[in-house]
Amino acid sequence: MAPQRFREQYDQIQRSMPDVPLAIGPDDAGEFLYEKGVVLARDGEEARLVEDTVRRHFTTFAGPAADHVRRTSPETNRSGITRIRVADPGQGDGSGDPAVASALRALREPEGRTGRRLISRNHVVSIAVNACPGDEPVPVEAGAQPNPAAAAGSHTPDSAVGVLVVDTGLMNDYRSYPLLAHTRGDAQVEECGDDGVLRQYCGHGTFIAGLVAAVAPNTDITVRGTLNDAGAVLESEFGEKLFEAVDQDGWPDILSLSAGTSNGRTDGLLGVDAFMRELRRQRTLLVACAGNNSSATPFWPAAYADLPGFEDSVLSIGALRGDGEFGACFSNHGAWVKAYAPGERLISALTGFDTPVPYVYQHSTYDDCRYGFGYACTCRHPRHTGVLSEEGGSGKPDQVMFEGLAQWSGTSFATPVAAGMIAAHMTARAETDPRAARRQVMDANGEVAEVRGATVPALVPATWSPLPVALPSART
């Protein structure tokens, strides 16, 4: 059974994608979301093999369901993926999809083909699934400064490091935050609802850009609003959208990506396979978040960092808790996470400074950490009541006001901190190769932290201020 927060976010994402029936997987366990009634295959011969095999399977085992087996997208596109409908997506509820599961089993080892995956669910790639970000934004006191604080240095156009942030778009008044004066990109769509209240996840991309700029002032940051729709997109569309993002301005030095999904596998996402293979041929370094499921299950695209051939082109980043000594309770972990950076209660720009904006909390905090940790983590502090948690209940959701800076937690934000450190290294050493800079930073780094009993590399900017953490006897 999916955990409460996952169920709440499933409801939120389903509302943002009303025309796409979603299911929880695997088997309602609450690890990922995917499109009901649809599977993915590579274009051409493999798509035809999948369609023929699934049709035979459903003719034998599902009778009339075979009528639903049909392609629902063109055979050729940049991502090289075809969506194949295997059942009526309107049937059943969100607790798994037996038709899709049956199709996956039918193609596990098709006649004449072994050793190559031919079929996949159409997963939801998101900044939100299973508490990603690790919490919701929190207002900061008047006069609070960004943390990490702004590093010394200036913006020099001729030598600035190009950083592309693929996320939600920029808030309308982002330029009122001095650190973002040289940032450009897509505007956030529908910042507020009809009631004037800030929508959930709005400001996510602006917050990330502010962190990059604080750690690495000499950067040209571009933010693309690929994930404006509640921070979620189908896997079948994501690879194409990544291509579109890099096509607009050319491949950047660093691509900062704070989104992804698990899929229960160790060989990547079918929908981004073409993009990742192209990335490997470029000079761009992808810095990607490890996800916030408190799990060792690979989270993609970050986990490509552990696949042969991607060691130099992908850096996966987990989150440290406020004191920097241990992993944050929510952070994913495992050998596929190559480094950790501060990711708990960071302070950056959320809305700009022109007009205060109200926000209503969507999720309630908990009495105890959802993951069994003992310190005052973001699961339970600061206390608030959220509308999604209290639907049908007696609790009244809390409302706060944002005016400029905010405090926020997640591997979403550890990622731009690490990206900023690599960009700053490139400026300091006049290094033009971002992948060489990644190796140099990792080789020279002497900072470590403890995550689940393992000693891991910790990328900590000199301008970051550790926070006191209550109950330091936390499980690690």
Side-chain angles (χ1 to χ4, degrees), residues 182 279 475:
H182 304 289
L279 169 74
R475 186 187 75 184

Side-chain angles (χ1 to χ4, degrees), residues 377-433:
C377 63
T378 59
C379 293
R380 57 181 183 167
H381 177 80
R383 303 289 294 179
H384 52 252
T385 299
V387 62
L388 294 176
S389 305
E390 298 299 328
E391 286 187 346
S394 58
K396 181 179 180 181
D398 293 322
Q399 178 174 303
V400 293
M401 298 294 294
F402 286 108
E403 187 174 5
L405 297 179
Q407 185 181 84
W408 215 345
S409 303
T411 60
S412 283
F413 312 124
T415 295
V417 170
M421 290 184 66
I422 294 168
H425 176 89
M426 293 177 67
T427 295
R429 301 292 182 90
E431 176 61 69
T432 59
D433 183 347

Side-chain angles (χ1 to χ4, degrees), residues 6 30 46 92 115 131 141 144 180 195 201 212 230 232 235 237 243 299-300 302 340 352 412 468-470 473:
F6 188 94
E46 291 189 9
E141 296 179 358
L180 295 180
D195 54 2
Y201 313 122
V212 174
E235 179 183 341
E237 302 171 6
F243 275 120
F299 188 82
W300 309 98
Y340 293 75
S412 283
V469 175
S473 60

